[in-house]
Amino acid sequence: MTAVQAIARIPAASIGELVSHPKLPLVAGIDQERPAVHLYYAEKVLREIGAVGADSAEYGKFGRWPVVAWHPERPELVVPGSGETVRWTRNGTSVLDVAVSLDVAFSPDGQSLWTSPTPPERYDRSDVIDLDTGAVMPAPMWDGGIAAHPAGGLIATKQSDQGASFVLFSRPGDRLRFLDRALILESNCWGLPVFSSDGRYLAIRGNTYEHQVLVFEFPSLRRILKTSLKRYSISSQLTIAFGARPGALWIGTPSGTLLEVDVERDRTKKHKLLRSAVTALVATSNGDLVVAGDGELALVPVPSPRTVADPATVAEFLASTKEIPDDGLTEDHVVHTDGVGTWRPEELATITKTAPGDPHWLRLLAEGNARRS
């Protein structure tokens, strides 16, 4: 681990979330004070190149941050909110005639928008909207965004619930068709999972009751790291990123420090970077970091040999799983793993006894089964 420092800093709005383009050096920053999105170029230099809603009024009592989605290839961003869906390009903004609810993502081929839940808030399904024809197809429920494996061929998303949440996987087809291997996480309020640049690790942070960062090997889904962030008083799920170094997970803290965690050795190094708390963190398409604080934005290079993800890891995962039916509940079809234990649906349907160290969701399930029996 070597010291890192910013190569560019600019004054910026108070940014609460950063979303990077998957292939271009572009980053969208979501304003914490008003429903606005700021667009930045981030390669060797850092500069603002546009905005959506910059003249909006400040958030009211029930204000909600906008969600954003980058096109997988083009410099194009979709921003739903305030009753309309705005498309940003470098030529300006336009309005799309599509209804978007809480979450939005481009399909992996860029031909359609995936929106979830179905407006007006039907929480049992999502929609696939063809951008050329306007045709709408139903799809399974998801939330929190879509994360693509860097080797291609696989995407990950979530289904959140108060008792337990799933990280679910799908081939990148025209819509989500979930596979029957899924991560199950205690509670809800988890951020979007992030893959390392070589595709060998998947990390996620959150949990309503004890803020945690979990890291899993891929494709085995074996958990290799579980870290509590209670001592850092961090409430945001949006401040972790894998940069150019595949085994280094970066975590922003309220002190303005970046933690560099070696996920294999569970060793941590601190890098003092900002004068204010880190409010958002993201890796750019080339593995550098963009870090947001209170009124400041920094571009941080992460020196590392170029890493190419091996498609064999995705092929191995796909060979071990199959698609589940579209109807019924997800939990009735998927093999649950928390990275330590694994439970098949038929086992969970009949389990009535657990041990004190078992996950809370499993103990609740067993209690419910015992009452019914």
Side-chain angles (χ1 to χ4, degrees):
M1 299 182 183
T2 58
V4 299
Q5 58 184 2
I7 60 170
R9 296 178 188 268
I10 60 172
S14 181
I15 300 297
E17 180 178 358
L18 291 164
V19 183
S20 63
H21 192 285
K23 294 186 177 180
L24 302 173
L26 302 175
V27 174
I30 298 176
D31 202 312
Q32 291 190 107
E33 298 177 350
R34 53 183 42 82
V37 180
H38 304 270
L39 288 306
Y40 301 96
Y41 178 86
E43 187 173 47
K44 297 182 181 179
V45 298
L46 186 62
R47 65 175 183 271
E48 187 168 357
I49 57 174
V52 175
D55 56 351
S56 301
E58 292 188 359
Y59 289 117
K61 182 178 179 180
F62 301 105
R64 180 171 61 85
W65 286 2
V67 293
V68 301
W70 283 110
H71 190 279
E73 302 287 342
R74 301 193 297 259
E76 178 180 323
L77 186 79
V78 166
V79 184
S82 302
E84 63 183 19
T85 301
V86 176
R87 171 188 271 161
W88 174 92
T89 69
R90 287 181 172 174
N91 295 324
T93 60
S94 58
V95 176
L96 291 175
D97 186 21
V98 298
V100 173
S101 187
L102 298 180
D103 282 296
V104 64
F106 272 96
S107 61
D109 63 5
Q111 300 300 308
S112 58
L113 280 180
W114 295 351
T115 72
S116 184
T118 294
E121 281 74 47
R122 262 196 65 180
Y123 289 97
D124 60 343
R125 57 168 271 189
S126 63
D127 279 344
V128 176
I129 305 171
D130 187 290
L131 290 172
D132 290 331
T133 67
V136 179
M137 292 176 52
M141 181 64 192
W142 58 276
D143 66 85
I146 303 293
H149 191 280
L154 189 76
I155 54 180
T157 187
K158 295 182 302 162
Q159 279 185 0
S160 298
D161 191 80
Q162 185 174 2
S165 300
F166 284 116
V167 175
L168 296 162
F169 302 93
S170 172
R171 291 179 173 86
D174 56 354
R175 65 187 183 94
L176 294 169
R177 291 178 171 85
F178 292 135
L179 302 171
D180 70 351
R181 287 183 66 194
L183 284 168
I184 186 165
L185 312 173
E186 292 278 21
S187 184
N188 61 354
C189 294
W190 293 90
L192 184 66
V194 293
F195 286 102
S196 61
S197 59
D198 63 355
R200 293 177 53 229
Y201 305 106
L202 180 148
I204 191 167
R205 78 180 287 175
N207 191 330
T208 302
Y209 303 107
E210 180 191 4
H211 201 69
Q212 299 171 343
V213 171
L214 308 177
V215 181
F216 303 87
E217 282 186 335
F218 189 86
S220 71
L221 300 184
R222 182 176 68 90
R223 193 179 75 203
I224 61 170
L225 185 67
K226 179 181 179 180
T227 299
S228 172
L229 297 179
K230 186 183 298 185
R231 67 192 181 99
Y232 292 106
S233 303
I234 302 172
S235 59
S236 173
Q237 299 93 34
L238 309 171
T239 53
I240 64 169
F242 279 110
R245 286 201 284 270
L249 180 69
W250 301 85
I251 304 173
T253 74
S255 68
T257 297
L258 284 186
L259 305 180
E260 181 186 3
V261 181
D262 184 324
V263 299
E264 290 185 336
R265 299 175 179 84
D266 192 12
R267 297 175 182 172
T268 300
K269 182 176 181 179
K270 298 180 180 180
H271 304 272
K272 181 62 177 176
L273 189 70
L274 300 183
R275 296 182 296 273
S276 57
V278 176
T279 57
L281 170 66
V282 77
T284 67
S285 57
N286 66 1
D288 291 340
L289 304 175
V290 176
V291 188
D294 184 12
E296 58 180 329
L297 200 67
L299 175 63
V300 181
V302 182
S304 178
R306 183 165 181 79
T307 302
V308 178
D310 187 355
T313 59
V314 172
E316 182 180 342
F317 183 82
L318 293 176
S320 69
T321 186
K322 63 181 185 298
E323 292 178 357
I324 67 173
D326 286 342
D327 57 338
L329 300 174
T330 302
E331 56 262 36
D332 293 337
H333 299 290
V334 298
V335 177
H336 302 48
T337 180
D338 62 359
V340 178
T342 300
W343 302 267
R344 302 192 66 82
E346 56 270 24
E347 296 174 294
L348 295 174
T350 58
I351 189 171
T352 57
K353 295 181 180 180
T354 58
D358 284 335
H360 185 63
W361 65 266
L362 184 64
R363 284 179 276 151
L364 289 177
L365 178 65
E367 291 170 7
N369 288 343
R371 285 195 299 270
R372 285 190 293 272
S373 64

